[in-house]
Amino acid sequence: QVQLVESGGGLVQPGGSLRLSCAASGSTFDYRIGWFRQTPGNVREGISCISTRDGRTYYDDSVKGRFTISRDNAKNTVYLQLNSLKPEDTAVYYCAAAPGYCSDYELPTYVMDYWGKGTLVTVSS
């Protein structure tokens, strides 16, 4: 069993930055760790993923060039650096995990087995 805990959300002004953390308990060797986000009334969308074995990454077009995913295997933690934030980035951000690699093309929710409870990011002036 893998348990995931997100942290780092908060209120930030447009153009600002935040760093989200996803701390895992249990082995996540050879796993894909992904970040998703969801706003009320909308589906949960996959925005970034990292493979813990080789660091392979995936980004949705909506965040490419602004967000950066990274990992610290020694701490069993994955980070998502959010830069150049926009009001439309406001959402609850979730991390999720499953054995295997990240796809180069998409990050659907059904490929994930374990989920955190989420952290709220609000981008507003």
Side-chain angles (χ1 to χ4, degrees):
Q1 283 285 345
V2 173
Q3 292 184 322
L4 304 170
V5 178
E6 304 95 336
S7 61
L11 174 64
V12 62
Q13 293 187 339
S17 298
L18 283 175
R19 189 177 80 157
L20 306 183
S21 299
C22 173
S25 62
S27 176
T28 55
F29 175 73
D30 219 1
Y31 268 53
R32 54 178 169 267
I33 311 288
W35 284 96
F36 296 74
R37 65 185 181 185
Q38 188 172 23
T39 54
N42 292 306
V43 299
R44 192 170 297 186
E45 60 171 347
I47 57 173
S48 188
C49 184
I50 189 165
S51 302
T52 60
R53 175 171 237 178
D54 61 4
R56 177 191 299 182
T57 59
Y58 160 84
Y59 296 96
D60 183 77
D61 286 345
S62 64
V63 304
K64 200 173 294 182
R66 300 188 298 122
F67 293 4
T68 304
I69 194 169
S70 61
R71 76 199 193 285
D72 184 333
N73 286 346
K75 294 183 178 180
N76 212 12
T77 299
V78 169
Y79 305 97
L80 187 68
Q81 179 69 39
L82 286 59
N83 295 331
S84 302
L85 283 162
K86 306 173 183 179
E88 52 264 41
D89 294 317
T90 295
V92 178
Y93 284 69
Y94 299 89
C95 72
Y101 288 93
C102 301
S103 165
D104 292 333
Y105 307 107
E106 61 178 357
L107 182 61
T109 56
Y110 63 78
V111 302
M112 295 302 189
D113 296 331
Y114 306 103
W115 291 85
K117 294 183 178 180
T119 185
L120 176 63
V121 172
T122 304
V123 185
S124 175
S125 54

